[in-house]
Amino acid sequence: MPKPACPLVVPPNQKLLQPRRIQPDQVKAKNAMGCLSPADAVYGADGCPLRLCGPDAGVIQLPEP
């Protein structure tokens, strides 16, 4: 039997941008890595995204040449 769908963390009209569910045993390591981009998410124990990281996440300032 398939798992129930994760609750949306994006507006319903942007379902294509919903982060995918990950395996529950991957959640701890994924959350420990932090946010890789603004569209990345923080995950709950069931593998569902809880919230998007946001516009300031994963932004790395490159050094000036």
Side-chain angles (χ1 to χ4, degrees):
M1 189 164 182
K3 295 179 184 178
C6 294
L8 289 176
V9 295
V10 296
N13 64 340
Q14 296 180 352
K15 285 182 188 179
L16 293 175
L17 301 177
Q18 171 79 1
R20 293 184 180 259
R21 178 191 299 252
I22 62 174
Q23 295 296 320
D25 62 344
Q26 296 175 328
V27 169
K28 186 175 180 181
K30 168 61 187 88
N31 286 343
M33 286 190 325
C35 294
L36 304 175
S37 75
D40 198 359
V42 174
Y43 288 84
D46 63 354
C48 285
L50 295 176
R51 62 179 168 78
L52 292 178
C53 291
D56 297 325
V59 178
I60 300 171
Q61 292 289 1
L62 297 176
E64 294 291 323

